[in-house]
Amino acid sequence: MKVAVRYYSRSGNTKKLADAVAEVAGVKAESVDVKLTEDVDVLFIANSLYWHGIDKNVKKFLANPGAKIGKLVNVSTASLTDTTYPQMQKIADKLSLNLASEEFHCKGQFKNLHKGRPNEDDIKHVKEFAHKIVD
C-alpha cells in the first residue's frame, strides 16, 4: 500500500501528529506545499481549524495534489472544536475525493488553552490510529 502524509501547521501542533503518523507509515511527513509525485492509496491529511475553517493552503493542495489519492484520511487538532471532519467532508465532496469515515482528532494548544497538547498520550493514540489504517 502506498501511503503519504501531508500537513499544514501554524504552531507545530498538527505537525507533531503528522510526524507520528508518518513514522508508523514509514514515510516522511511533508507540508502541503509539497505535491505528491506518485499516486497513493492513502493520504493522511493533517490539519486544524483557523477561524472556524480549514486553512486555504490545505484546500489548495487538495484541489491540485499532483497525483491521484485513493483514500483521504483526516487527522486534526483544534482548540475550540472536537473535529474538523465536517469541514473536510465538504472539501472532499466538492473535489470528488474519497474521505475515510475514520478520523483522528485531539485538542491542540492555543495560547493558554489545552497547554501541552498534543501530548504524549495524543501521540500514542494517533500512532494507534495510523496502525489501524495502514496495517
Side-chain angles (χ1 to χ4, degrees):
M1 175 180 351
K2 184 71 179 165
V3 178
V5 178
R6 294 295 185 272
Y7 68 89
Y8 181 79
S9 184
R10 291 184 186 176
S11 65
N13 293 333
T14 306
K15 183 179 184 315
K16 290 177 187 177
L17 296 182
D19 288 340
V21 168
E23 180 183 323
V24 168
V27 299
K28 181 180 178 187
E30 302 272 5
S31 162
V32 293
D33 296 331
V34 178
K35 290 188 179 202
L36 297 172
T37 57
E38 58 187 347
D39 295 352
V40 295
D41 299 305
V42 175
L43 173 66
F44 288 92
I45 187 74
N47 64 89
S48 188
L49 294 184
Y50 301 101
W51 298 103
H52 305 290
I54 302 290
D55 188 86
K56 66 181 178 183
N57 292 294
V58 173
K59 293 176 188 177
K60 181 180 172 185
F61 169 78
L62 290 173
N64 186 14
K68 291 183 182 179
I69 300 166
K71 179 168 68 170
L72 185 64
V73 179
N74 192 50
V75 174
S76 64
T77 64
S79 60
L80 299 176
T81 186
D82 291 329
T83 182
T84 65
Y85 194 87
Q87 293 87 343
M88 189 57 69
Q89 183 68 64
K90 286 179 188 176
I91 295 165
D93 288 348
K94 181 180 177 184
L95 298 172
S96 298
L97 295 171
N98 177 23
L99 181 62
S101 59
E102 307 95 333
E103 77 159 332
F104 179 85
H105 177 84
C106 72
K107 294 297 184 185
Q109 181 175 328
F110 177 70
K111 297 186 180 187
N112 290 327
L113 290 174
H114 314 294
K115 270 204 179 284
R117 302 287 301 272
N119 58 28
E120 288 181 26
D121 281 342
D122 297 323
I123 298 302
K124 175 185 169 197
H125 291 126
V126 78
K127 285 181 176 182
E128 291 169 353
F129 172 78
H131 274 294
K132 289 178 187 174
I133 302 296
V134 300
D135 289 348

